[in-house]
Amino acid sequence: MKAKINVTKTFLPSQEEYQSILKRAWDTGWMTNRGVLVKELELKLKEFLGVSNIIAMTNGTLPIQIAIKGLGLKGEIITTPFTYVATTAAIVWESCTPVFVDIHPTYLTIDETKIEAAITSETSAILATHVYGNPCHVEEIDRIARKYDLKVIYDAAHCFGVKYKGESIFNYGDVSTCSFHATKLFHTGEGGALFCKSEYYDQFFQHHNFGHEGPEAFYGLGINAKMSELQAAMGLVVLPYMSEIMDRRKRVINLYQECLGGSNIDMFHIRDKAIWNYAYFPVMFESVKKLLEVKQTLEINNIYPRRYFFPTMDTLPYLRQSSCYIARDVSRRILCLPLHDKLTESDILRITSLIV
Ligand SMILES: *Cc1c(COP(=O)(O)O)cnc(C)c1O
Protein backbone atom coordinates (compact mmCIF):
# COMPACT_ATOMS: atom_id res chain seq x y z
CA MET A 1 0.00 0.00 0.00
CA LYS A 2 1.28 3.47 -0.90
CA ALA A 3 1.76 6.06 1.85
CA LYS A 4 -1.40 7.62 3.20
CA ILE A 5 -2.43 10.92 1.62
CA ASN A 6 -4.65 13.19 3.70
CA VAL A 7 -6.68 16.16 2.53
CA THR A 8 -3.92 18.35 3.88
CA LYS A 9 -0.53 18.11 5.52
CA THR A 10 0.69 20.69 7.98
CA PHE A 11 3.80 22.49 6.79
CA LEU A 12 6.54 21.99 9.37
CA PRO A 13 9.90 23.71 9.33
CA SER A 14 12.88 21.89 10.83
CA GLN A 15 12.88 21.51 14.61
CA GLU A 16 16.16 23.44 14.69
CA GLU A 17 14.51 26.46 13.09
CA TYR A 18 11.63 26.33 15.54
CA GLN A 19 14.00 25.95 18.47
CA SER A 20 16.16 28.85 17.40
CA ILE A 21 13.13 31.14 17.62
CA LEU A 22 11.84 29.50 20.79
CA LYS A 23 15.19 30.19 22.42
CA ARG A 24 14.30 33.88 22.40
CA ALA A 25 11.20 33.13 24.48
CA TRP A 26 13.31 30.96 26.81
CA ASP A 27 15.83 33.74 27.19
CA THR A 28 13.15 36.13 28.37
CA GLY A 29 11.35 33.47 30.43
CA TRP A 30 8.12 34.98 29.09
CA MET A 31 5.66 32.51 27.54
CA THR A 32 2.57 34.62 26.88
CA ASN A 33 0.88 37.96 27.61
CA ARG A 34 2.16 39.46 24.40
CA GLY A 35 5.85 38.75 24.60
CA VAL A 36 8.43 39.67 21.99
CA LEU A 37 7.46 36.88 19.60
CA VAL A 38 3.75 37.74 19.39
CA LYS A 39 4.60 41.38 18.81
CA GLU A 40 7.12 40.49 16.13
CA LEU A 41 4.69 38.13 14.43
CA GLU A 42 2.04 40.86 14.32
CA LEU A 43 4.51 43.29 12.74
CA LYS A 44 5.66 40.77 10.15
CA LEU A 45 2.09 39.79 9.31
CA LYS A 46 1.11 43.43 8.86
CA GLU A 47 3.88 43.82 6.38
CA PHE A 48 3.35 40.51 4.58
CA LEU A 49 -0.42 40.92 4.31
CA GLY A 50 -0.66 44.68 3.87
CA VAL A 51 -2.99 45.37 6.80
CA SER A 52 -2.87 48.16 9.36
CA ASN A 53 -4.59 46.60 12.39
CA ILE A 54 -4.08 43.05 13.57
CA ILE A 55 -4.55 41.31 16.90
CA ALA A 56 -3.01 37.84 17.08
CA MET A 57 -5.27 35.44 18.95
CA THR A 58 -5.21 31.89 20.21
CA ASN A 59 -7.52 30.51 17.51
CA GLY A 60 -9.77 31.64 14.68
CA THR A 61 -13.08 31.27 16.52
CA LEU A 62 -12.60 33.67 19.43
CA PRO A 63 -12.01 36.63 17.07
CA ILE A 64 -15.45 36.01 15.55
CA GLN A 65 -17.02 35.97 19.01
CA ILE A 66 -15.10 39.06 20.07
CA ALA A 67 -16.21 40.86 16.91
CA ILE A 68 -19.87 40.02 17.56
CA LYS A 69 -19.63 41.03 21.21
CA GLY A 70 -17.49 44.09 20.56
CA LEU A 71 -19.72 45.47 17.84
CA GLY A 72 -22.63 45.07 20.24
CA LEU A 73 -24.60 42.87 17.86
CA LYS A 74 -28.03 41.70 18.93
CA GLY A 75 -30.93 39.88 17.36
CA GLU A 76 -30.43 38.48 13.88
CA ILE A 77 -27.21 38.10 11.94
CA ILE A 78 -27.42 37.29 8.26
CA THR A 79 -24.96 34.58 7.37
CA THR A 80 -24.02 31.79 4.98
CA PRO A 81 -24.97 28.14 5.47
CA PHE A 82 -21.89 27.03 3.50
CA THR A 83 -19.06 27.40 5.97
CA TYR A 84 -17.39 25.63 8.84
CA VAL A 85 -19.51 25.30 11.99
CA ALA A 86 -17.36 27.87 13.85
CA THR A 87 -19.01 30.74 11.94
CA THR A 88 -22.53 29.74 12.92
CA ALA A 89 -21.70 28.52 16.41
CA ALA A 90 -20.00 31.85 17.22
CA ILE A 91 -23.26 33.65 16.38
CA VAL A 92 -25.33 31.35 18.56
CA TRP A 93 -22.73 31.36 21.37
CA GLU A 94 -23.04 35.16 21.45
CA SER A 95 -26.82 34.81 21.85
CA CYS A 96 -27.69 36.03 18.36
CA THR A 97 -29.83 34.25 15.79
CA PRO A 98 -28.29 33.19 12.48
CA VAL A 99 -30.47 33.93 9.47
CA PHE A 100 -29.26 31.93 6.51
CA VAL A 101 -29.14 33.31 3.02
CA ASP A 102 -28.41 30.83 0.24
CA ILE A 103 -25.14 30.83 -1.70
CA HIS A 104 -24.22 31.66 -5.25
CA PRO A 105 -24.03 28.41 -7.27
CA THR A 106 -20.59 29.04 -8.77
CA TYR A 107 -18.81 31.43 -6.37
CA LEU A 108 -20.18 29.48 -3.37
CA THR A 109 -20.16 32.61 -1.23
CA ILE A 110 -23.36 34.15 0.19
CA ASP A 111 -25.68 35.25 -2.65
CA GLU A 112 -25.67 39.02 -2.19
CA THR A 113 -28.79 39.40 -4.33
CA LYS A 114 -30.78 37.52 -1.67
CA ILE A 115 -29.54 39.44 1.37
CA GLU A 116 -31.98 42.37 1.30
CA ALA A 117 -35.00 40.08 1.36
CA ALA A 118 -33.72 38.53 4.59
CA ILE A 119 -33.31 41.82 6.48
CA THR A 120 -35.82 42.50 9.26
CA SER A 121 -36.06 45.11 12.03
CA GLU A 122 -34.03 42.68 14.17
CA THR A 123 -31.08 42.41 11.79
CA SER A 124 -27.85 43.84 13.20
CA ALA A 125 -25.13 42.50 10.91
CA ILE A 126 -23.95 40.41 8.00
CA LEU A 127 -21.39 37.73 8.83
CA ALA A 128 -20.22 36.11 5.62
CA THR A 129 -17.45 33.63 4.86
CA HIS A 130 -14.97 34.04 2.00
CA VAL A 131 -15.26 30.32 1.53
CA TYR A 132 -12.11 28.51 0.27
CA GLY A 133 -10.49 31.95 0.14
CA ASN A 134 -12.90 33.19 -2.55
CA PRO A 135 -14.00 36.76 -1.78
CA CYS A 136 -17.69 37.51 -1.26
CA HIS A 137 -19.19 40.30 -3.36
CA VAL A 138 -17.78 42.85 -0.90
CA GLU A 139 -18.98 45.99 -2.73
CA GLU A 140 -22.61 44.92 -2.82
CA ILE A 141 -22.49 43.72 0.80
CA ASP A 142 -21.01 47.08 1.76
CA ARG A 143 -23.77 48.93 -0.09
CA ILE A 144 -26.49 46.91 1.66
CA ALA A 145 -24.83 47.37 5.05
CA ARG A 146 -24.73 51.15 4.63
CA LYS A 147 -28.31 51.30 3.43
CA TYR A 148 -29.65 49.38 6.43
CA ASP A 149 -27.03 50.46 8.95
CA LEU A 150 -25.64 46.97 9.51
CA LYS A 151 -22.17 45.90 10.59
CA VAL A 152 -20.15 43.57 8.39
CA ILE A 153 -17.90 40.79 9.67
CA TYR A 154 -16.02 38.51 7.32
CA ASP A 155 -15.01 35.07 8.45
CA ALA A 156 -11.82 35.07 6.41
CA ALA A 157 -10.45 31.90 8.02
CA HIS A 158 -9.39 30.59 4.59
CA CYS A 159 -7.98 33.85 3.28
CA PHE A 160 -4.36 34.11 4.32
CA GLY A 161 -2.65 36.04 1.51
CA VAL A 162 -5.80 36.63 -0.55
CA LYS A 163 -6.01 40.01 -2.25
CA TYR A 164 -8.95 41.72 -3.81
CA LYS A 165 -8.54 44.71 -6.11
CA GLY A 166 -4.92 44.90 -5.11
CA GLU A 167 -5.38 44.93 -1.35
CA SER A 168 -5.67 42.41 1.43
CA ILE A 169 -9.13 40.90 1.65
CA PHE A 170 -8.78 41.40 5.42
CA ASN A 171 -9.21 45.14 4.85
CA TYR A 172 -12.87 44.75 3.84
CA GLY A 173 -15.81 44.93 6.24
CA ASP A 174 -15.74 46.30 9.78
CA VAL A 175 -13.86 43.23 10.96
CA SER A 176 -12.24 40.21 9.35
CA THR A 177 -11.00 37.14 11.15
CA CYS A 178 -8.51 34.47 10.13
CA SER A 179 -7.59 31.05 11.46
CA PHE A 180 -4.01 29.85 11.86
CA HIS A 181 -5.07 26.31 12.75
CA ALA A 182 -2.63 23.56 11.74
CA THR A 183 -4.89 22.52 8.85
CA LYS A 184 -5.01 26.02 7.40
CA LEU A 185 -2.67 27.52 4.82
CA PHE A 186 -0.58 29.53 7.31
CA HIS A 187 -0.48 28.14 10.81
CA THR A 188 0.73 28.53 14.38
CA GLY A 189 -0.50 25.09 15.52
CA GLU A 190 -3.65 26.64 16.92
CA GLY A 191 -4.04 30.34 16.33
CA GLY A 192 -5.81 33.11 14.54
CA ALA A 193 -6.14 36.84 14.17
CA LEU A 194 -8.59 39.68 14.07
CA PHE A 195 -8.29 42.53 11.55
CA CYS A 196 -10.37 45.66 11.96
CA LYS A 197 -10.85 49.30 11.17
CA SER A 198 -8.74 51.57 13.40
CA GLU A 199 -11.77 52.89 15.28
CA TYR A 200 -12.40 49.42 16.78
CA TYR A 201 -8.84 48.39 17.51
CA ASP A 202 -8.50 49.51 21.14
CA GLN A 203 -11.79 48.00 22.15
CA PHE A 204 -11.13 44.63 20.53
CA PHE A 205 -7.64 44.61 21.98
CA GLN A 206 -9.04 45.03 25.50
CA HIS A 207 -11.68 42.36 24.92
CA HIS A 208 -9.04 39.80 23.96
CA ASN A 209 -7.12 40.40 27.22
CA PHE A 210 -9.79 40.17 29.95
CA GLY A 211 -10.66 43.86 29.52
CA HIS A 212 -7.51 44.89 31.38
CA GLU A 213 -6.42 48.49 31.69
CA GLY A 214 -3.04 47.87 33.26
CA PRO A 215 -2.61 45.26 36.01
CA GLU A 216 -5.17 46.65 38.46
CA ALA A 217 -7.96 48.21 36.44
CA PHE A 218 -10.47 47.23 33.78
CA TYR A 219 -11.96 49.04 30.83
CA GLY A 220 -14.77 46.58 30.48
CA LEU A 221 -15.71 43.00 29.83
CA GLY A 222 -13.10 40.75 28.32
CA ILE A 223 -12.09 37.19 27.69
CA ASN A 224 -8.76 35.45 27.17
CA ALA A 225 -7.97 35.11 23.49
CA LYS A 226 -4.25 35.83 23.62
CA MET A 227 -1.78 34.03 21.40
CA SER A 228 1.12 32.46 23.31
CA GLU A 229 4.83 32.80 22.52
CA LEU A 230 4.95 29.11 21.56
CA GLN A 231 2.32 29.70 18.89
CA ALA A 232 3.95 32.90 17.67
CA ALA A 233 7.32 31.11 17.36
CA MET A 234 5.71 28.61 14.97
CA GLY A 235 4.23 31.48 12.96
CA LEU A 236 7.58 33.22 12.72
CA VAL A 237 9.26 30.10 11.34
CA VAL A 238 6.47 29.27 8.90
CA LEU A 239 5.93 32.78 7.53
CA PRO A 240 9.12 33.06 5.42
CA TYR A 241 8.05 29.90 3.55
CA MET A 242 4.58 31.16 2.64
CA SER A 243 5.31 32.46 -0.86
CA GLU A 244 7.03 29.21 -1.77
CA ILE A 245 4.19 27.16 -0.23
CA MET A 246 1.54 29.04 -2.21
CA ASP A 247 3.62 28.65 -5.36
CA ARG A 248 3.87 24.91 -4.93
CA ARG A 249 0.16 24.60 -4.22
CA LYS A 250 -0.59 26.61 -7.34
CA ARG A 251 1.41 24.10 -9.36
CA VAL A 252 -0.44 21.20 -7.72
CA ILE A 253 -3.80 22.77 -8.58
CA ASN A 254 -2.75 23.50 -12.16
CA LEU A 255 -1.78 19.87 -12.60
CA TYR A 256 -5.04 18.68 -11.03
CA GLN A 257 -6.96 20.89 -13.45
CA GLU A 258 -5.02 19.55 -16.40
CA CYS A 259 -5.66 15.97 -15.37
CA LEU A 260 -9.34 16.54 -14.64
CA GLY A 261 -9.97 18.67 -17.72
CA GLY A 262 -12.62 17.26 -20.03
CA SER A 263 -14.24 15.32 -17.19
CA ASN A 264 -17.67 16.01 -15.72
CA ILE A 265 -16.13 17.67 -12.69
CA ASP A 266 -16.67 21.34 -11.93
CA MET A 267 -14.60 23.74 -9.92
CA PHE A 268 -15.88 26.90 -8.27
CA HIS A 269 -15.20 30.30 -9.82
CA ILE A 270 -12.74 32.67 -8.24
CA ARG A 271 -14.14 36.18 -8.17
CA ASP A 272 -12.83 38.61 -10.74
CA LYS A 273 -9.99 40.88 -9.49
CA ALA A 274 -9.15 38.45 -6.69
CA ILE A 275 -5.70 37.02 -6.19
CA TRP A 276 -6.33 33.63 -4.70
CA ASN A 277 -4.15 31.71 -2.21
CA TYR A 278 -4.67 28.08 -3.33
CA ALA A 279 -5.96 27.16 0.09
CA TYR A 280 -8.27 24.31 -1.00
CA PHE A 281 -9.05 22.27 -4.06
CA PRO A 282 -12.79 21.55 -3.98
CA VAL A 283 -14.38 19.74 -6.92
CA MET A 284 -18.07 19.26 -7.66
CA PHE A 285 -19.43 16.00 -8.99
CA GLU A 286 -22.65 15.65 -10.95
CA SER A 287 -24.32 13.72 -8.10
CA VAL A 288 -23.83 12.71 -4.50
CA LYS A 289 -23.75 9.09 -5.70
CA LYS A 290 -20.73 9.83 -7.86
CA LEU A 291 -19.05 11.72 -5.00
CA LEU A 292 -19.50 8.81 -2.61
CA GLU A 293 -18.16 6.33 -5.17
CA VAL A 294 -15.07 8.45 -5.77
CA LYS A 295 -14.52 9.01 -2.05
CA GLN A 296 -14.72 5.29 -1.39
CA THR A 297 -12.36 4.42 -4.25
CA LEU A 298 -9.83 6.96 -2.96
CA GLU A 299 -10.12 5.71 0.61
CA ILE A 300 -9.54 2.12 -0.44
CA ASN A 301 -6.32 3.46 -1.95
CA ASN A 302 -5.34 5.18 1.30
CA ILE A 303 -6.24 8.66 0.00
CA TYR A 304 -8.47 10.77 2.24
CA PRO A 305 -10.32 13.71 0.71
CA ARG A 306 -12.80 15.62 2.93
CA ARG A 307 -16.37 16.73 2.46
CA TYR A 308 -15.78 20.41 3.18
CA PHE A 309 -18.43 21.61 3.92
CA PHE A 310 -21.03 19.00 4.67
CA PRO A 311 -23.63 19.23 6.04
CA THR A 312 -24.73 22.84 5.62
CA MET A 313 -25.29 24.94 8.72
CA ASP A 314 -28.98 25.50 7.99
CA THR A 315 -29.49 21.86 9.02
CA LEU A 316 -27.82 22.12 12.45
CA PRO A 317 -29.93 20.30 15.04
CA TYR A 318 -29.88 23.21 17.51
CA LEU A 319 -31.29 25.70 15.01
CA ARG A 320 -34.65 26.30 13.44
CA GLN A 321 -34.47 24.66 10.02
CA SER A 322 -34.31 26.89 7.00
CA SER A 323 -34.02 25.91 3.41
CA CYS A 324 -30.96 26.89 1.47
CA TYR A 325 -31.36 24.53 -1.45
CA ILE A 326 -28.38 25.65 -3.50
CA ALA A 327 -26.05 25.32 -0.53
CA ARG A 328 -27.47 21.91 0.32
CA ASP A 329 -27.11 20.70 -3.25
CA VAL A 330 -23.51 21.96 -3.57
CA SER A 331 -22.57 20.64 -0.16
CA ARG A 332 -23.71 17.13 -1.10
CA ARG A 333 -21.66 17.11 -4.31
CA ILE A 334 -18.46 18.89 -3.32
CA LEU A 335 -15.26 17.21 -2.20
CA CYS A 336 -11.92 18.74 -1.24
CA LEU A 337 -9.12 16.76 -2.84
CA PRO A 338 -5.74 16.44 -1.09
CA LEU A 339 -3.73 19.63 -1.38
CA HIS A 340 -0.42 20.54 0.19
CA ASP A 341 3.01 21.68 -0.85
CA LYS A 342 4.62 18.22 -0.68
CA LEU A 343 2.18 16.54 -3.05
CA THR A 344 4.13 15.15 -6.01
CA GLU A 345 3.23 14.88 -9.66
CA SER A 346 2.92 11.13 -9.32
CA ASP A 347 0.56 11.56 -6.32
CA ILE A 348 -1.69 13.77 -8.41
CA LEU A 349 -1.63 11.44 -11.39
CA ARG A 350 -2.55 8.56 -9.09
CA ILE A 351 -5.37 10.50 -7.41
CA THR A 352 -6.87 11.79 -10.65
CA SER A 353 -6.60 8.41 -12.39
CA LEU A 354 -8.81 7.02 -9.62
CA ILE A 355 -11.36 9.78 -10.23
CA VAL A 356 -11.74 9.92 -14.02
C1 LIG B 1 -11.11 26.82 10.63
C2 LIG B 1 -12.27 27.74 10.54
C3 LIG B 1 -12.68 28.52 11.63
C4 LIG B 1 -12.17 28.35 13.03
O1 LIG B 1 -10.85 28.50 13.21
P1 LIG B 1 -10.12 27.83 14.46
O2 LIG B 1 -8.76 28.42 14.37
O3 LIG B 1 -10.13 26.35 14.24
O4 LIG B 1 -10.85 28.24 15.68
C5 LIG B 1 -13.69 29.46 11.43
N1 LIG B 1 -14.30 29.58 10.25
C6 LIG B 1 -13.97 28.81 9.19
C7 LIG B 1 -14.68 29.04 7.90
C8 LIG B 1 -12.95 27.86 9.30
O5 LIG B 1 -12.66 27.07 8.25
Side-chain angles (χ1 to χ4, degrees):
M1 182 72 92
K2 293 249 172 67
K4 181 172 176 180
I5 300 179
N6 274 324
V7 67
T8 191
K9 183 174 187 165
T10 303
F11 174 84
L12 287 176
S14 70
Q15 284 188 40
E16 289 73 28
E17 287 172 272
Y18 185 50
Q19 268 153 11
S20 76
I21 306 254
L22 267 189
K23 181 171 183 305
R24 292 172 48 204
W26 246 255
D27 290 345
T28 60
W30 189 275
M31 289 296 120
T32 187
N33 287 352
R34 301 185 56 80
V36 287
L37 300 185
V38 163
K39 286 184 183 153
E40 183 174 323
L41 181 63
E42 285 182 348
L43 277 176
K44 292 205 159 145
L45 287 174
K46 273 194 202 178
E47 195 181 324
F48 184 88
L49 299 166
V51 296
S52 22
N53 296 303
I54 178 173
I55 307 170
M57 296 201 190
T58 195
N59 60 46
T61 303
L62 279 162
I64 308 176
Q65 291 178 220
I66 287 175
I68 294 171
K69 181 89 77 193
L71 293 171
L73 304 183
K74 299 260 175 321
E76 297 174 357
I77 297 180
I78 290 179
T79 190
T80 174
F82 192 63
T83 183
Y84 182 59
V85 70
T87 321
T88 316
I91 295 174
V92 180
W93 198 269
E94 294 302 328
S95 305
C96 294
T97 306
V99 172
F100 295 103
V101 165
D102 213 343
I103 59 169
H104 191 282
T106 56
Y107 295 115
L108 310 185
T109 47
I110 196 168
D111 186 343
E112 63 282 352
T113 65
K114 295 179 178 161
I115 291 177
E116 285 197 80
I119 293 174
T120 72
S121 58
E122 300 297 307
T123 309
S124 59
I126 300 167
L127 198 180
T129 301
H130 302 304
V131 72
Y132 307 127
N134 196 23
C136 298
H137 195 317
V138 290
E139 294 90 354
E140 181 58 12
I141 290 175
D142 184 55
R143 186 194 66 80
I144 296 167
R146 284 167 195 271
K147 181 170 168 192
Y148 296 92
D149 194 21
L150 307 176
K151 300 285 193 236
V152 178
I153 302 172
Y154 287 114
D155 181 342
H158 306 160
C159 292
F160 191 89
V162 171
K163 296 214 151 113
Y164 180 66
K165 291 191 168 169
E167 70 170 298
S168 171
I169 193 68
F170 298 138
N171 289 341
Y172 293 85
D174 293 292
V175 185
S176 291
T177 64
C178 191
S179 168
F180 303 157
H181 185 262
T183 57
K184 301 296 205 286
L185 184 57
F186 167 77
H187 80 97
T188 56
E190 290 270 1
L194 179 148
F195 306 87
C196 63
K197 291 183 177 166
S198 300
E199 62 194 277
Y200 300 122
Y201 177 84
D202 288 343
Q203 188 197 352
F204 290 142
F205 186 89
Q206 292 147 23
H207 283 320
H208 106 294
N209 184 26
F210 298 108
H212 265 293
E213 180 184 15
E216 295 177 1
F218 297 92
Y219 292 99
L221 181 66
I223 194 166
N224 180 7
K226 294 187 304 292
M227 177 182 276
S228 78
E229 292 291 276
L230 307 179
Q231 293 170 289
M234 180 62 88
L236 285 168
V237 231
V238 173
L239 186 60
Y241 291 98
M242 285 317 293
S243 301
E244 187 185 328
I245 290 171
M246 284 194 264
D247 239 40
R248 286 170 187 263
R249 295 169 75 113
K250 179 180 180 177
R251 273 184 265 152
V252 169
I253 289 184
N254 287 344
L255 189 56
Y256 261 130
Q257 285 175 322
E258 242 173 72
C259 297
L260 295 172
S263 68
N264 246 353
I265 296 162
D266 278 341
M267 219 201 119
F268 71 110
H269 291 199
I270 308 287
R271 199 171 294 279
D272 221 24
K273 304 197 182 80
I275 297 178
W276 191 44
N277 61 359
Y278 312 95
Y280 296 88
F281 188 59
V283 291
M284 280 183 271
F285 295 92
E286 73 261 23
S287 65
V288 64
K289 181 165 167 283
K290 178 72 185 165
L291 176 145
L292 293 172
E293 279 168 19
V294 167
K295 184 165 176 276
Q296 190 180 28
T297 306
L298 291 173
E299 285 174 0
I300 290 167
N301 286 276
N302 219 14
I303 297 164
Y304 295 88
R306 281 287 296 272
R307 296 184 78 184
Y308 292 145
F309 292 94
F310 178 85
T312 53
M313 296 304 121
D314 61 320
T315 63
L316 281 175
Y318 51 84
L319 294 176
R320 194 158 32 100
Q321 304 282 296
S322 50
S323 29
C324 297
Y325 295 113
I326 295 171
R328 288 188 194 184
D329 172 53
V330 166
S331 152
R332 278 191 283 261
R333 295 185 292 110
I334 203 162
L335 190 66
C336 279
L337 298 184
L339 173 59
H340 57 77
D341 61 287
K342 305 280 188 318
L343 221 51
T344 64
E345 186 166 335
S346 82
D347 291 332
I348 299 160
L349 295 176
R350 191 157 70 90
I351 295 168
T352 52
S353 70
L354 292 166
I355 298 176
V356 291

